[in-house]
Amino acid sequence: MLKTKLKLILVSTPIGFLGSGKGGGVELTIISLIKGLLFLGHEIILIAPEGTKLPFDNEHLEIRLVEGIDQPSWQHQSKESPVSIPCNSVLPKSWEIAMELADRYDAIINFAYDWLPLWLTKIVDIKIFHLISMGAESLVMKEIISEVSQLMPFQIAFHSRRQSQDYLLNTDPIIVGNGFDNEDYFFNKNENGPLGWAGRIAPEKGLEDAVKVASYLGEKLLVWGLLENKEYASKIEKDFRQGIIEWKGFLPTDEFQKQLGRCRAFLNTPKWNEAYGNVIAEAMACGVPVIAYDLGGPGELIEDGINGFLVQPNDIEGMIKAIKSVSKIKRHNCRAWFEKKASNKVFAKRVESWIKKGLNKNLSGNLQD
Ligand code: HBI
């Protein structure tokens, strides 16, 4: 008899507590998914670093906080870096707790882009599922993700097909997209607002290109996001005349979406294989058309001419041309796309189906619907 309501352990990213902003898009993904899974009637325990706070509580949600030192982010290391585990590390502590709890739960879902939980998956017969949150930013991660995917293809999922193409898979990848709570975002029909950009302020996000475009158009650019790389930010400020960038900081969702909704266009300029592009879904949720480089996840979210425009990566001219035509996009199309493809309820349904299929596969050796 296949269970309809699951008991799930979710293990968060170890690079910062939920709410710190250090976990980047994974933070919002976890919070939105928990809401969606609770809505579907599942029971959850979240294992996360001390300091983690969720913007809601629920009788079917337990949070287990883990004291310890953050894992260094792969984004701050080179592709050839080995795995490093600091003293008093929060990562192994989190997984000791997950292993202790495992026999009382149906499955574990891992959100850490880290070697240890993937390696564990090969060793223990506990059902550990991994939602891979980045492209292959490190060779040792590419190796272990590819290896586990070849051994247990049902237990690895990606946010987008292009992200999955960074890895050596033997089977068609499982793509679950992403999702955010519709009730947190309000549609704004205003078509004459400023240009906006959001993301961790770091080189892989390509802020300099959006500033170049705004500067060419003689406009300001509203910029939201965690100031992760200060040298990078100050170099951009030096390269362009004062007043183009209006730094808005890393805001809680309710304030962020209010300001974001006032934009007439949202620019997305990734320089890496962006796994998904949470901020794109958030902009769409507010009715803001997105103009993005056709690279990584964003290229799979934007339906060119319908909810935004896609331009070739690094194509400044193309971005300027698209901005001049953005009034052709009906803002309602953006919200409609979000509700159909990227609300946390549809995302939770996709994750639920992934886990149930993975459990059925483990139970019966072949996939049952
Ligand atoms: N680095 N070691 C490590 N572990 C993570 O979970 C991790 C990371 N770097 C970035 C990151 N997660 C997230 O910000 C992105 O996956 C979105």
Side-chain angles (χ1 to χ4, degrees):
M1 164 65 174
L2 299 175
K3 287 178 76 173
T4 49
K5 301 303 174 214
L6 299 172
K7 290 188 67 180
L8 298 166
I9 300 171
L10 272 58
V11 186
S12 183
T13 172
I15 67 167
F17 62 84
L18 289 185
S20 69
K22 290 199 284 187
V26 168
E27 291 195 26
L28 194 55
T29 296
I30 294 172
I31 291 168
S32 305
L33 180 58
I34 288 174
K35 274 192 202 172
L37 291 172
L38 290 171
F39 177 79
L40 293 174
H42 303 300
E43 189 124 354
I44 291 171
I45 182 166
L46 170 69
I47 300 173
E50 208 164 42
T52 287
K53 286 189 189 60
L54 292 193
F56 57 88
D57 56 25
N58 182 296
E59 62 177 317
H60 299 292
L61 166 64
E62 183 189 338
I63 302 179
R64 187 70 66 88
L65 297 177
V66 188
E67 181 276 329
I69 299 300
D70 290 351
Q71 193 60 21
S73 172
W74 282 112
Q75 268 140 347
H76 304 148
Q77 300 174 66
S78 74
K79 273 202 184 283
E80 296 72 22
S81 297
V83 176
S84 64
I85 303 269
C87 295
N88 186 31
S89 169
V90 73
L91 181 64
K93 286 185 184 183
S94 301
W95 284 91
E96 280 156 23
I97 295 168
M99 292 296 107
E100 273 159 35
L101 294 169
D103 57 1
R104 281 171 271 155
Y105 287 80
D106 297 304
I108 301 175
I109 309 180
N110 169 49
F111 294 86
Y113 189 82
D114 285 286
W115 185 88
L116 180 68
L118 280 146
W119 177 78
L120 261 179
T121 309
K122 294 195 316 178
I123 308 302
V124 300
D125 62 3
I126 294 159
K127 277 97 53 200
I128 305 176
F129 293 79
H130 303 271
L131 179 43
I132 305 299
S133 63
M134 283 198 275
E137 291 313 302
S138 119
L139 292 178
V140 72
M141 284 303 291
K142 176 174 179 174
E143 178 187 65
I144 190 75
I145 290 169
S146 303
E147 190 183 345
V148 173
S149 168
Q150 288 159 20
L151 290 169
M152 299 118 171
F154 295 93
Q155 294 176 233
I156 300 273
F158 301 91
H159 286 297
S160 71
R161 187 165 293 282
R162 286 180 175 177
Q163 174 206 2
S164 72
Q165 287 162 354
D166 270 9
Y167 301 95
L168 310 175
L169 313 178
N170 287 346
T171 51
D172 206 24
I174 296 168
I175 309 297
V176 294
N178 216 324
F180 312 100
D181 189 347
N182 333 30
E183 280 139 41
D184 288 349
Y185 300 87
F186 295 92
F187 177 76
N188 183 323
K189 63 182 188 315
N190 169 40
E191 296 193 349
N192 309 306
L195 300 175
W197 186 98
R200 273 178 306 103
I201 316 296
E204 64 270 14
K205 299 289 187 176
L207 172 59
E208 67 278 9
D209 285 11
V211 179
K212 211 177 282 177
V213 164
S215 162
Y216 179 90
L217 292 167
E219 293 196 38
K220 66 179 177 183
L221 179 73
L222 274 56
V223 174
W224 296 273
L226 180 75
L227 188 47
E228 184 178 88
N229 185 323
K230 292 179 177 49
E231 310 76 65
Y232 171 70
S234 51
K235 180 174 182 331
I236 294 176
E237 282 202 310
K238 264 204 299 298
D239 290 352
F240 295 92
R241 66 176 167 70
Q242 285 307 315
I244 293 184
I245 302 179
E246 200 172 307
W247 298 103
K248 310 298 272 183
F250 175 69
L251 302 177
T253 299
D254 59 344
E255 187 49 35
F256 171 49
Q257 63 86 32
K258 209 183 291 173
Q259 297 180 14
L260 174 61
R262 296 183 195 127
C263 293
R264 78 174 186 284
F266 181 80
L267 311 185
N268 186 257
T269 52
K271 299 289 183 178
W272 67 334
N273 188 9
E274 184 76 52
Y276 182 79
N278 291 4
V279 287
I280 288 178
E282 293 184 282
M284 299 276 193
C286 302
V288 184
V290 178
I291 301 171
Y293 288 157
D294 191 1
L295 181 68
E300 295 175 25
L301 309 182
I302 292 162
E303 294 159 9
D304 198 46
I306 310 287
N307 58 12
F309 292 112
L310 286 172
V311 301
Q312 284 311 306
N314 311 317
D315 180 0
I316 301 290
E317 296 300 312
M319 193 149 266
I320 290 165
K321 194 161 151 284
I323 290 171
K324 289 178 177 167
S325 326
V326 78
S327 56
K328 290 188 187 129
I329 302 290
K330 290 191 179 50
R331 292 172 72 97
H332 279 289
N333 291 351
C334 305
R335 177 74 193 194
W337 175 88
F338 165 78
E339 288 178 355
K340 185 161 168 273
K341 296 285 181 83
S343 79
N344 66 327
K345 292 190 175 63
V346 295
F347 176 44
K349 273 311 276 173
R350 290 192 293 257
V351 169
E352 178 191 68
S353 148
W354 164 41
I355 301 299
K356 286 186 172 177
K357 283 182 180 165
L359 291 174
N360 300 346
K361 161 86 185 71
N362 287 359
L363 291 177
S364 62
N366 51 38
L367 197 56
Q368 292 164 356
D369 286 331

